[in-house]
């Protein structure tokens, strides 16, 4: 691969973005592809988000811009970003920061599956309540925003199977040329 492929795994809370991102990285590494996965939410949560940027997108974009030469120097073929991508402007800001187009794969899961995952992940209380309320609203928003290049369903399959499906749909192949 000459350029780094950037794959944003989008989807509502509870869709399985982070879990599938790790499985996709592992699947690509097994194919001999230099792949990395960045926990974008962890970057966003490192500092308090300002009122005019509630999901700390400016911090995320600044981090991506700063890390871009390091990923290139390391020979990374694929960078996987699990993160809700709500708008074309957000996708384009990531692409600008990374100097590469961003392919968005929306991971979808039925409401009952998402609710079960969120209930298992979060203790009862305000945090769980927020996630349960947000998942359905965000699922509808993402479906109508149509920012994604591809949609895959994450329900009833192992994360590794979903990851393999994504790799095939994106046509990610083992590199044939050495990086310069």
């Amino acid at each position: 691969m000459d350029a780094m492929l950037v794959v944003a795994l989008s989807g509502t809370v509870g869709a399985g973005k982070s879990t599938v991102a790790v499985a996709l990285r592992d699947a690509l590494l097994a194919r001999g592809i230099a792949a990395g996965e960045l926990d974008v939410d962890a970057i966003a949560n490192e500092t308090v988000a300002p009122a005019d940027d509630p999901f700390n997108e400016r911090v995320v974009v600044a981090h991506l811009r700063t890390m871009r030469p390091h990923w290139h120097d390391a020979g990374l073929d694929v960078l996987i970003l699990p993160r809700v991508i709500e708008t074309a402007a957000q996708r384009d800001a990531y692409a600008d920061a990374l100097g590469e187009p961003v392919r968005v794969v929306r991971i979808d899961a039925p409401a009952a599956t998402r609710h079960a995952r969120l209930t298992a992940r979060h203790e009862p209380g305000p945090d769980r309540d927020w996630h349960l309320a947000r998942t359905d609203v965000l699922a509808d928003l993402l479906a109508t925003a149509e920012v994604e290049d591809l949609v895959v369903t994450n329900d009833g399959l192992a994360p590794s199977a979903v990851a393999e499906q994504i790799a095939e749909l994106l046509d990610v192949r083992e590199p044939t040329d050495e990086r310069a």
Side-chain angles (χ1 to χ4, degrees):
M1 293 182 175
D2 293 328
M4 181 173 64
L5 172 63
V6 180
V7 180
L9 298 183
S10 186
T12 189
V13 291
K17 299 177 295 295
S18 298
T19 302
V20 172
V22 171
L24 179 58
R25 181 202 61 216
D26 292 348
L28 295 176
L29 289 172
R31 292 178 181 199
I33 297 167
E37 174 265 331
L38 177 68
D39 186 343
V40 181
D41 288 345
I43 301 302
N45 293 330
E46 285 295 315
T47 60
V48 176
D52 68 333
D53 186 13
F55 297 107
N56 241 348
E57 284 301 308
R58 289 190 298 266
V59 166
V60 169
V61 169
H63 181 81
L64 295 176
R65 189 174 311 283
T66 300
M67 290 302 297
R68 168 180 154 184
H70 303 290
W71 289 317
H72 184 272
D73 291 348
L76 202 62
D77 294 313
V78 180
L79 176 62
I80 304 159
L81 306 172
R83 180 72 165 173
V84 175
I85 306 293
E86 293 186 33
T87 65
Q90 181 186 10
R91 177 201 59 217
D92 295 346
Y94 286 22
D96 180 65
L98 292 164
E100 302 286 353
V102 175
R103 301 282 311 268
V104 178
V105 178
R106 181 166 52 89
I107 299 177
D108 195 20
T113 299
R114 295 190 320 264
H115 284 256
R117 289 175 182 158
L118 293 168
T119 299
R121 182 187 315 160
H122 299 281
E123 294 294 325
D127 186 53
R128 179 196 278 180
D129 295 344
W130 183 89
H131 281 86
L132 289 171
R134 180 74 171 143
T135 189
D136 296 328
V137 170
L138 187 55
D140 291 342
L141 183 148
L142 294 174
T144 58
E146 298 181 343
V147 177
E148 70 276 348
D149 298 287
L150 303 166
V151 178
V152 296
T153 300
N154 181 16
D155 186 43
L157 296 173
S160 59
V162 178
E164 289 292 344
Q165 181 183 12
I166 292 169
E168 291 301 318
L169 289 170
L170 290 173
D171 196 28
V172 180
R173 304 267 180 235
E174 186 173 344
T176 55
D177 299 323
E178 290 293 319
R179 275 184 168 250

